[in-house]
Structure formats: C-alpha cells, structure tokens
Amino acid sequence: MFLIDCPWCGPRQQTEFHCQGEAHIARPKDPDALSDEEWANYVFNRTNPKGVHFERWVHNHGCRRWFNVARDTVTDRILAIYRMGEKRPKVKS
Amino acid sequence: MAKSTQAAAHSPLANRIGPDGNPVALTERAHLGKINLRGDAGDKAFLDGVARAAGVAPPVKANTVATAGTTAILWLGPDEWLVVTPAGGQGAMESSLTTALAGQHVSIVDVTDARTTIRISGPRARDTVAKACPLDLHPREFAAGQCAQTLLAKTDVLIHQVGDTPAYDLYVLCSFSRYLWDWLADSAKEFA
C-alpha cells in the first residue's frame, strides 16, 4: 500500500488522493503580451523529469485540501510534502 | 414551500431491513440535520460564535468530533465542519449560527438532504467495515470521538465512531446509500 502523508489528516492510502500535475506554475501576469508559443508553453508544456518532480496533490476523498509533493518519478518515493504557498524544499532523489 | 419539502422527505433506505443484532446491527438514522460550516479556525470570534449557537466550539484538531447534548460538530477540514442535529433541527441551527456569526466571513449551508446516516454497531462492526476501508480502524488509531472522510467499498463516506462497542455512524450520499447498505449487510453475513 502506498501511503501519502496528508498535511492535515496524516498518512492515508493513495486511493484517497489525486495527482493534479506539476506544481509552481505561475500564471503570466500579462497574458495579452505573450506570443502564441509562450502561451502554449504556459498551458501545455511541462518538465516531465526522470527523478525529482514537484507536483500538486489533492486529498479528494478526505479533507479535499491541496498540497505539494516532491516525488521521485523513478522510484515513486515521496521525498517531501509541503503546503500550498510554501517554497519548494531542497530534496535529493 | 417549506411544508411541501417536509412532506416530501423520503429516506432512500426506508424499505431496507438489515442484520439487527449480534454480532452486527444496521440501522438508519434518517434525516439528521446537517449543516456545512466554514470559517477561520484561528479566529476566536468565530469559535465563540459557534459555541454560542451550537453549545460547543468546532474541534480544531483534525479528524475529531465535538459534541454537546444532541449536537455534534465533525471536523471535515482545517476550515470546514459538519454540524449534525437531530432530525428537523437544521432550520433552528442554521438560523442561530447565522445570528451568532453575523458580519463574519463564514459559510453556513444546510446540506441535510445530501446524505443519510447508517449506524453500524455490534462486536463485529469493526471487522465488517474494515474489509473495504483503507483506514486503520484499530482502537489505537481510531477510537470513539474521532471521524474521518475516506472510502468504504469505493464510496465516499464520513465515518464517525460513536461508541466503543464499536458503533460507527457512516454519512453517505443518499444516491449511494442503498448500495452501501446492501454491501454492509452482505459483508456482515459471514459473522452471523
């Protein structure tokens, strides 16, 4: 069983959660000033690394809160869990 | 308008008869008043206001329940609670919360009819629920006075342990309640 440590509820089974993609993607301040390519980069293009990935998760069958996770995409090991609005921590895979 | 809504109140489990005793009993606690409450747990004015209206302040500790008489406040999130009253008590609770929290940044929504409540009790109730629930229900981890939102037989439930027998109140969406009731009744068969 793959346990995820919800910042509020504590360790819960993975099936209670959903991953919602890469974290720390800031919406451009002035979208009108962007070229189509820059806008496409913001909307569609993601880093997709092999190794440490910072991503957003939601405890949707539990407290329905969002938080950030640093996960190793090779081993599926969770390296850090931190709340929305916090800076990405330094982690080693 | 209010009258016709009352007359139309119909339990989705009205015709369900479950195992009724040792080692597992199923009963429906139909039409319990339920109010979804949101506010700032760090704001003393909010906590005091709720305590004035409901008789008890909302629990700040995650996954716990505060009770006062027939009212219970279940923790749903760091800024979200479910206030549970006896059947028919939701209107009075909604207005007293609205009065007590006037002027504050809060949300008070009557969600009585969204869910119904299945009470499962008896010495094998824990084993029956544990078969399809990822929570650790061992008394060391989950005891009377605690609540949790999780999955039970693939259905979203809010579990509140109400007694050490053990007994649990399962808050389930009405549209899933027949399925869950039948699943529980079937799950309990092996213990009969």
Side-chain angles (χ1 to χ4, degrees):
Chain A
M1 192 160 66
F2 183 11
L3 292 175
I4 297 175
D5 201 1
C6 169
W8 286 275
C9 300
R12 294 287 189 91
Q13 196 185 9
Q14 174 201 5
T15 51
E16 293 185 12
F17 299 85
H18 268 96
C19 179
Q20 299 284 353
E22 190 172 350
H24 305 296
I25 293 170
R27 185 182 167 84
K29 287 221 164 64
D30 185 7
D32 289 339
L34 299 186
S35 68
D36 285 353
E37 193 183 341
E38 285 167 327
W39 183 248
N41 261 334
Y42 160 67
V43 176
F44 299 112
N45 294 337
R46 297 294 177 257
T47 56
N48 193 27
K50 181 178 181 184
V52 181
H53 189 223
F54 296 90
E55 51 202 13
R56 300 173 306 162
W57 284 72
V58 58
H59 191 191
N60 56 331
H61 296 293
C63 62
R64 294 183 299 283
R65 264 42 186 200
W66 292 75
F67 54 93
N68 292 313
V69 166
R71 180 177 63 93
D72 187 319
T73 57
V74 178
T75 60
D76 245 356
R77 262 192 342 140
I78 291 179
L79 307 164
I81 290 177
Y82 53 107
R83 294 190 181 187
M84 284 289 160
E86 290 178 8
K87 285 200 173 143
R88 69 177 84 192
K90 287 197 174 120
V91 290
K92 271 196 223 159
S93 59
Chain B
M1 195 61 197
K3 257 194 176 155
S4 66
T5 315
Q6 287 270 314
H10 170 73
S11 157
L13 297 172
N15 298 318
R16 286 295 194 280
I17 300 166
D20 57 357
N22 243 345
V24 175
L26 285 182
T27 48
E28 190 198 5
R29 305 186 70 208
H31 310 307
L32 289 180
K34 301 168 204 79
I35 296 189
N36 186 277
L37 173 68
R38 299 198 64 172
D40 181 359
D43 182 359
K44 194 169 178 305
F46 170 71
L47 299 177
D48 290 347
V50 177
R52 266 202 312 281
V56 62
V60 179
K61 190 174 176 222
N63 295 305
T64 59
V65 181
T67 49
T70 53
T71 303
I73 307 184
L74 284 68
W75 186 97
L76 300 180
D79 58 2
E80 187 175 9
W81 296 266
L82 189 71
V83 183
V84 180
T85 73
Q90 63 273 19
M93 180 60 75
E94 188 180 4
S95 43
S96 52
L97 282 169
T98 307
T99 310
L101 300 173
Q104 296 192 32
H105 183 62
V106 296
S107 156
I108 301 160
V109 182
D110 180 356
V111 293
T112 295
D113 294 331
R115 291 174 183 237
T116 189
T117 309
I118 299 172
R119 163 81 51 98
I120 178 166
S121 57
R124 303 307 294 270
R126 179 178 289 115
D127 301 316
T128 307
V129 173
K131 273 201 263 182
C133 179
L135 271 191
D136 185 355
L137 294 171
H138 190 283
R140 179 186 59 221
E141 292 293 327
F142 195 77
Q146 279 178 268
C147 68
Q149 297 163 98
T150 183
L151 291 164
L152 173 55
K154 300 174 190 167
T155 306
D156 281 291
V157 289
L158 167 60
I159 299 186
H160 172 201
Q161 185 167 343
V162 290
D164 293 323
T165 320
Y168 304 93
D169 277 352
L170 309 171
Y171 295 81
V172 58
L173 289 170
C174 282
S175 49
F176 287 84
S177 62
R178 290 178 194 163
Y179 157 73
L180 187 65
W181 178 283
D182 292 344
W183 185 88
L184 289 166
D186 184 61
S187 175
K189 270 185 186 164
E190 68 167 290
F191 303 121

